[in-house]
């Protein structure tokens, strides 16, 4: 059997590529679906919660799924440069896959509003970074405009190949669980990912690989919640900078996923999001970035209020790795400063025994 080298090879019969296509891959996908063991006991509810830990992709986020496809197709079509607007993860991913392919990457990011790890990555991969005095939504509209005037391929999720790549996360979940879950919870920003999951689940159901479809639950940050408000908004604000978006590009697709699946949108405060992030690391040993924890914040809220029924199987996507945003993590742990002691046995012994 051929060794799997990334999601395009694994799911090539469900993706728009040919045997001739040069695949640009960093062995993305095949991320772990981890069953939570401690949190269900803590909340004392009869539910199975799984997290799809997308932070273990090559650049630390789910964006790599879409980027392997988008860059593969860009190269196939003869493109020599890609461009995106980003809150950080797309830019890191685009930069890495561009290097892999030997093409240029231009990334527009909001000045001062992307997490440190994402900036570090994008710099190290050598992308052309253009910081704008504006937010993601402004960057996105500039990217769409400039692509009409320069020979660059847009690799934001308005590029349909991004959605094609990202739908494979739903395939992996069904392949792991043996069927679709009852509920799928995920953070919603630009709304490409909810669009992609719904496409993946639907394709598997149509082909009878899955017997059912999940209810899609899209969760947003309170200060950046256009779907919950039912209208696009200016000046979105949240500590979860990855989803600091007021004008989602996949607006209609996301509403379609919500309606067809019988799902819903809801919003959570920064405090609730950070509490969920900490709960996951503290009680399960799983470290995700703030935006990612919005999925768990929402799931727990809706399990508690009975909207998500007991006895269900729930999957939460953890979109990005906790290491992406060390500043926010450390600032949450002010009360747990490490102790500093003398470097001798007595002092170490005391430090341990005092804490037992
Ligand atoms: N979680 C993380 C960690 C993200 O980086 C993003 C989006 C989302 C969730 C939301 O996904 O946009 O498909 O609804 N980040 C984009 C970026 C906008 O530029 O990295 P979505």
């Amino acid at each position: 059997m051929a060794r799997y080298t990334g999601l395009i090879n694994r799911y090539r019969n469900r993706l728009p590529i040919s045997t001739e296509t040069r695949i640009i891959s960093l062995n993305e996908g095949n991320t772990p679906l981890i069953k939570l063991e401690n949190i269900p006991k803590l909340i004392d509810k009869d539910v199975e919660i799984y997290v799809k830990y997308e932070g273990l992709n090559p650049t630390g986020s789910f964006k790599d799924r879409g980027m392997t496809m988008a860059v593969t197709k860009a190269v196939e079509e003869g493109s020599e440069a890609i461009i995106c607007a980003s809150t950080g993860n797309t830019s890191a991913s685009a930069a890495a896959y561009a290097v892999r392919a030997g093409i240029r990457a231009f990334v527009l990011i909001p000045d001062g509003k992307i997490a440190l790890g994402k900036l570090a990555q994008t710099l190290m991969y050598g992308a052309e970074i253009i910081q704008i005095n504006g937010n993601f939504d402004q960057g996105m509209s500039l990217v769409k405009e400039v692509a009409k005037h320069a020979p660059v391929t847009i690799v934001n999720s308005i590029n349909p190949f991004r959605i094609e790549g990202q739908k494979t996360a739903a395939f992996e979940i069904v392949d792991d669980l043996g069927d679709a879950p009852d509920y799928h919870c995920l953070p919603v920003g630009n709304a490409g990912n909810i669009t992609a999951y719904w496409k993946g689940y639907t394709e598997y159901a149509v082909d009878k690989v899955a017997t059912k479809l999940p209810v899609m639950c899209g969760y947003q940050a309170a200060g950046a919640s256009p779907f919950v408000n039912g209208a696009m908004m200016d000046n979105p604000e949240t500590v979860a900078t990855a989803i600091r978006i007021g004008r989602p590009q996949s607006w209609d697709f996301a509403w379609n996923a919500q309606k067809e699946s019988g799902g819903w949108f809801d919003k959570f405060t920064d405090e609730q999001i950070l509490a969920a992030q900490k709960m996951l690391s503290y009680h399960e040993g799983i470290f995700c970035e703030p935006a990612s924890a919005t999925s768990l914040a929402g799931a727990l809220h809706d399990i508690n209020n009975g909207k998500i029924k007991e006895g269900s199987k729930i999957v939460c996507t953890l979109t990005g790795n906790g290491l992406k945003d060390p500043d926010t993590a450390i600032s949450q742990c002010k009360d747990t400063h490490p102790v500093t002691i003398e470097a001798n046995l007595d002092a170490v012994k005391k430090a341990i025994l005092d804490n037992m």
Side-chain angles (χ1 to χ4, degrees):
M1 194 173 86
R3 208 173 138 257
Y4 289 141
T5 50
L7 59 86
I8 295 183
N9 272 332
R10 181 168 178 186
Y11 293 109
R12 58 164 53 239
N13 61 341
R14 295 183 175 276
L15 294 168
I17 58 155
S18 78
T19 48
E20 310 295 305
T21 310
R22 174 187 163 210
I23 295 170
I24 312 300
S25 170
L26 290 163
N27 291 20
E28 55 294 309
N30 199 19
T31 55
L33 186 67
I34 307 169
K35 188 175 182 183
L36 299 190
E37 290 183 348
N38 300 319
I39 290 176
K41 286 185 207 141
L42 275 176
I43 61 171
D44 197 22
K45 296 281 183 193
D46 171 28
V47 283
E48 277 181 39
I49 311 176
Y50 296 82
V51 293
K52 181 70 170 157
Y53 193 24
E54 291 288 273
L56 291 192
N57 275 297
T59 76
S61 86
F62 73 97
K63 304 290 180 179
D64 296 342
R65 289 184 185 276
M67 209 54 74
T68 183
M69 268 307 302
V71 175
T72 291
K73 295 304 281 189
V75 168
E76 187 172 63
E77 287 158 11
S79 178
E80 288 173 6
I82 56 175
I83 190 166
C84 66
S86 182
T87 56
N89 280 326
T90 302
S91 56
S93 186
Y97 284 82
V99 171
R100 189 77 166 172
I103 61 175
R104 309 275 305 277
F106 294 88
V107 306
L108 267 75
I109 54 175
D111 188 18
K113 289 289 185 182
I114 84 165
L116 199 62
K118 303 174 189 180
L119 186 60
Q121 290 178 287
T122 312
L123 287 164
M124 285 297 281
Y125 297 133
E128 305 298 328
I129 301 180
I130 304 165
Q131 306 205 83
I132 59 164
N133 291 319
N135 61 28
F136 170 85
D137 302 310
Q138 292 163 298
M140 193 65 244
S141 85
L142 287 164
V143 161
K144 287 198 281 189
E145 206 50 44
V146 82
K148 294 179 196 156
H149 304 282
V152 287
T153 303
I154 300 177
V155 293
N156 283 102
S157 54
I158 55 173
N159 178 329
F161 298 122
R162 278 277 311 276
I163 305 296
E164 287 299 306
Q166 284 173 216
K167 76 183 180 186
T168 61
F171 297 164
E172 289 180 13
I173 290 166
V174 175
D175 290 346
D176 280 353
L177 293 177
D179 206 341
D182 300 306
Y183 299 86
H184 190 110
C185 305
L186 77 175
V188 174
N190 208 24
N193 214 23
I194 191 170
T195 302
Y197 270 96
W198 186 241
K199 186 162 198 283
Y201 281 127
T202 305
E203 286 182 14
Y204 255 22
V206 167
D207 293 344
K208 305 214 166 13
V209 184
T211 68
K212 59 183 178 186
L213 288 162
V215 172
M216 300 297 291
C217 308
Y219 298 123
Q220 303 209 279
S225 51
F227 286 106
V228 186
N229 305 341
M232 303 224 190
M233 57 186 284
D234 293 322
N235 307 316
E237 215 40 88
T238 169
V239 69
T241 51
I243 50 172
R244 187 174 167 269
I245 295 172
R247 302 189 162 273
Q249 296 296 313
S250 294
W251 182 254
D252 293 339
F253 291 129
W255 281 113
N256 181 58
Q258 177 264 319
K259 287 195 187 103
E260 282 189 0
S261 75
W264 58 84
F265 295 107
D266 205 347
K267 60 181 178 183
F268 296 92
T269 63
D270 285 358
E271 291 69 31
Q272 289 172 302
I273 292 169
L274 294 180
Q277 183 199 18
K278 195 153 186 192
M279 190 178 191
L280 200 52
S281 49
Y282 220 77
H283 294 290
E284 300 283 359
I286 301 168
F287 188 24
C288 67
E289 67 171 287
S292 309
T294 313
S295 59
L296 183 69
L300 296 180
H301 179 265
D302 288 335
I303 290 165
N304 271 328
N305 67 18
K307 240 173 140 177
I308 291 179
K309 304 275 179 295
E310 285 212 50
S312 329
K313 215 174 256 192
I314 304 146
V315 173
C316 295
T317 301
L318 300 180
T319 45
N321 198 300
L323 297 171
K324 293 269 189 177
D325 191 350
D327 293 324
T328 307
I330 291 169
S331 69
Q332 275 190 82
C333 300
K334 287 212 177 73
D335 303 337
T336 47
H337 272 319
V339 290
T340 305
I341 57 164
E342 292 308 314
N344 64 53
L345 182 60
D346 277 349
V348 176
K349 209 166 81 185
K350 185 171 180 325
I352 292 169
L353 296 178
D354 283 357
N355 265 301
M356 302 243 348

